[in-house]
Amino acid sequence: MSGGADTGAGAGASTASGSPLAERLTGLVRALRGHGIRIGPGETVDAAAVLEVLGLTDRERIREGLAAALLRADGQRAVFDATFELYFPLGVGELAGTRAGRARDRDELRDRLAEALAANDLAALTRLAGEAVDLLGGYGSPGSDGWSAHQTLDRLRPQTLLARILAEQRAGGAFGAGQGAGAGAGAGMGPGSASVFRSGPSYGSGFGSGSDSGSGGFTDRLDADEIRRRIEDFRDRVRTEARRRVAERRGADFIARRGVAPSADQVDFLVANREQLVELRRTVQPLARKLATRLGTRRRKAARGQIDIRRTLRRSLSTGGVPLRPAYRRHRPARPELVLLCDVSGSVAGFANFTMLLVQALRDQFSKVRVYAFVNRVDEVTHLVTTGEADPAGLGRRIAEEARLSGWHGSSDYGTALGEFAERHLDAVGPRTSVIVLGDARTNGFDPNVPALRRIAARARRVHWLNPEAPAQWGTGDSAAQVYAEVVDMHACRNARRLGELVTRLLPV
């Protein structure tokens, strides 16, 4: 079926243990747990109750109901949606809507896709995604291999339709049919689309009203952005359709493990693409608030101090020798100082930038924070990080433009950078200072200069090294990680979740 939830269970099916619907639900929960989403038995029972109440007639209601019962954070929604499509698919096999009026070739499919994108016809886009995968996405021998979203999109190239759609809408052509001057009545645009920014009664109309066509500039950019958004939405539909078809052959559990992208906080820093890094930056402030709460809890517990046995026994004399009121050796807590030493060369820049933003968001937890960046020369960038709160996306660019980070070559050189820090900036490190080094410890064949790191460690309260590479890669090739790990504590830190755990555990209170 192409519309409602063809979940393999009737609308009146119960969620009793062993039923197909219960197996789908537990499979969904198991897959979500595999992606790091914490779901307990209570949430699973709640999700079963949601299915009982909502029934199986409306697939989107099921999706929203299960999301409300199972998820705790906005960042988990993308993983949930992709996994939901595998366990509660839109249909089985070829979707019914794709059989009627199937495109004969790629050009006809592109023509229909352009019309659907212009009209923002979501039902048509879903059908066209199925047709596109069926026509262009198959590989190998029929019935034995699979379907490829990458191949489908590479052959269809929907992104190249942008200029065509915009030209048609400006000319008032086929895609703009029914869109009269100033007050078009085209279908498809709803609230929240670009047209809501136009003046006049064009709300709810299609693109390219006559009064706006000559204004260019701002409205043109809005229209272009809206078309790009629709194209990206269509690309997601193609990916979902390809995953659904492959899951029918190889099993939903397998595709959920291998074919669903992890949430932003579990993406490896070293392989994160631009969109994932943007999503990571959005998590900085929520993560900083959570970490600040944990650090505050640790600080309150640390302020109690240890039990003073002598004073406790003396107090117990008033209660017949029973130590009802323990006495503590209280100490006066002082906020620690923090120095970050960050490798911002290309391979690890995303990791360093995210960590700098996180520390900047946590600066209230420390009495002093100083940040140094290096490629093969060291420069202090504290002022750039501190003033970069309004534009976190531009932090890496500002550091590259304003700091002196490299000498006669552009490769990272940990030995030279550590030596320069020990010579010129060691006064930033004191007995209350914790130093955190960020980098993969790959020296490009240069001397690792371990004595310089020893000088820093001897002066600091603690030195931790956060390495975005897996421990299995330490010491391979030009990596000096194992050499440095003999001097300071080195921790693998491959994603934002692990970084949060390390920050909570390692930072002094």
Side-chain angles (χ1 to χ4, degrees):
M1 68 187 294
S2 59
D6 183 9
T7 60
S14 77
T15 54
S17 175
S19 72
L21 184 57
E23 292 178 1
R24 286 178 185 273
L25 178 60
T26 54
L28 172 67
V29 170
R30 187 168 54 247
L32 293 175
R33 287 172 177 165
H35 282 275
I37 299 177
R38 296 177 180 175
I39 301 174
E43 286 89 351
T44 307
V45 172
D46 290 344
V50 166
L51 291 178
E52 292 282 353
V53 172
L54 296 181
L56 302 178
T57 56
D58 190 330
R59 184 167 172 267
E60 291 308 310
R61 289 184 67 190
I62 294 175
R63 182 200 300 268
E64 297 305 323
L66 292 181
L70 298 176
L71 303 185
R72 299 179 181 177
D74 290 341
Q76 300 168 343
R77 187 57 193 256
V79 174
F80 171 84
D81 282 339
T83 310
F84 177 85
E85 295 288 346
L86 298 176
Y87 289 91
F88 293 84
L90 189 59
V92 178
E94 184 182 5
L95 299 181
T98 63
R99 300 191 190 107
R102 180 181 300 178
R104 289 167 297 182
D105 55 27
R106 170 180 169 275
D107 291 339
E108 181 181 342
L109 188 62
R110 281 173 56 86
D111 292 342
R112 291 171 54 196
L113 177 59
E115 294 176 7
L117 288 171
N120 196 25
D121 187 341
L122 301 183
L125 290 173
T126 301
R127 289 195 302 271
L128 289 169
E131 288 187 47
V133 172
D134 193 54
L135 182 66
L136 306 171
Y139 64 89
S141 56
S144 62
D145 290 318
W147 308 92
S148 169
H150 176 78
Q151 176 179 294
T152 303
L153 295 171
D154 185 58
R155 292 177 176 176
L156 187 60
R157 302 180 68 78
Q159 68 276 13
T160 60
L161 295 173
L162 173 63
R164 173 181 169 182
I165 296 171
L166 292 175
E168 289 286 347
Q169 78 176 44
R170 288 169 187 149
F175 305 147
Q179 301 165 14
M189 295 287 291
S193 67
S195 290
V196 301
F197 295 103
R198 293 184 181 135
S199 61
S202 59
Y203 176 81
S205 70
F207 294 107
S209 59
S211 61
D212 290 339
S213 60
S215 61
F218 181 64
T219 55
D220 287 348
R221 288 197 299 274
L222 285 178
D223 286 347
D225 289 343
E226 175 64 16
I227 296 297
R228 288 192 188 93
R229 185 194 64 77
R230 294 177 186 180
I231 291 174
E232 188 57 36
D233 176 69
F234 174 74
R235 295 169 70 92
D236 288 339
R237 291 171 191 270
V238 170
R239 297 186 187 104
T240 299
E241 174 65 12
R243 270 199 303 268
R244 182 186 67 82
R245 293 192 179 207
V246 176
E248 290 178 4
R249 294 186 177 181
R250 310 195 65 174
D253 292 344
F254 179 82
I255 300 303
R257 287 195 307 271
R258 307 290 293 273
V260 175
S263 56
D265 63 342
Q266 294 195 67
V267 174
D268 280 10
F269 289 118
L270 297 183
V271 299
N273 56 35
R274 178 179 301 179
E275 291 76 16
Q276 289 168 331
L277 289 176
V278 170
E279 183 64 26
L280 269 179
R281 281 195 290 271
R282 293 196 190 103
T283 67
V284 166
Q285 291 298 333
L287 180 60
R289 287 194 292 271
K290 184 185 298 183
L291 296 182
T293 302
R294 293 178 183 173
L295 290 173
T297 303
R298 282 183 60 200
R299 188 168 290 127
R300 285 193 297 276
K301 290 181 178 178
R304 294 180 183 172
Q306 296 180 336
I307 291 181
D308 187 332
I309 299 296
R310 196 170 178 178
R311 290 174 54 208
T312 301
L313 291 177
R314 190 180 303 132
R315 281 187 184 180
S316 69
L317 295 177
S318 62
T319 55
V322 179
L324 295 179
R325 294 183 299 125
Y328 294 91
R329 291 195 185 96
R330 297 187 181 278
H331 71 276
R332 185 174 298 172
R335 291 178 185 269
E337 299 175 1
L338 183 66
V339 168
L340 277 185
L341 189 54
C342 312
D343 177 5
V344 294
S345 61
S347 58
V348 293
F351 168 55
N353 290 344
F354 179 80
T355 308
M356 284 189 281
L357 290 172
L358 182 61
V359 170
Q360 191 267 346
L362 284 170
R363 63 186 182 280
D364 292 341
Q365 303 298 317
F366 307 96
S367 63
K368 183 186 295 184
V369 176
R370 299 183 72 172
V371 184
Y372 296 84
F374 69 90
V375 176
N376 51 61
R377 295 193 60 181
V378 176
D379 200 358
E380 183 168 4
V381 296
T382 306
H383 61 291
L384 298 177
V385 176
T386 305
T387 58
E389 187 175 8
D391 181 22
L395 176 61
R397 174 180 49 77
R398 289 196 305 276
I399 291 176
E401 291 176 352
E402 300 181 30
R404 298 187 60 186
L405 305 177
S406 59
W408 57 274
H409 64 87
S411 302
S412 57
D413 180 353
Y414 282 78
T416 301
L418 290 173
E420 185 176 358
F421 181 83
E423 291 295 329
R424 295 178 49 200
H425 304 288
L426 200 58
D427 58 342
V429 180
R432 292 175 51 196
T433 306
S434 290
V435 179
I436 295 181
V437 185
L438 309 176
D440 57 6
R442 293 201 170 272
T443 62
N444 290 295
F446 296 105
D447 177 14
N449 196 1
V450 176
L453 184 60
R454 284 202 178 94
R455 287 183 61 190
I456 300 170
R459 190 178 174 90
R461 179 180 179 184
R462 286 196 186 95
V463 178
H464 298 287
W465 191 306
L466 306 187
N467 192 328
E469 287 189 341
Q473 296 176 291
W474 296 0
T476 62
D478 58 354
S479 173
Q482 292 182 342
V483 177
Y484 290 134
E486 295 176 358
V487 181
V488 300
D489 295 330
M490 184 167 289
H491 309 270
C493 182
R494 303 180 62 185
N495 53 50
R497 176 169 295 189
R498 175 64 175 162
L499 177 62
E501 294 171 357
L502 290 174
V503 167
T504 304
R505 181 161 58 89
L506 299 180
L507 288 184
V509 294

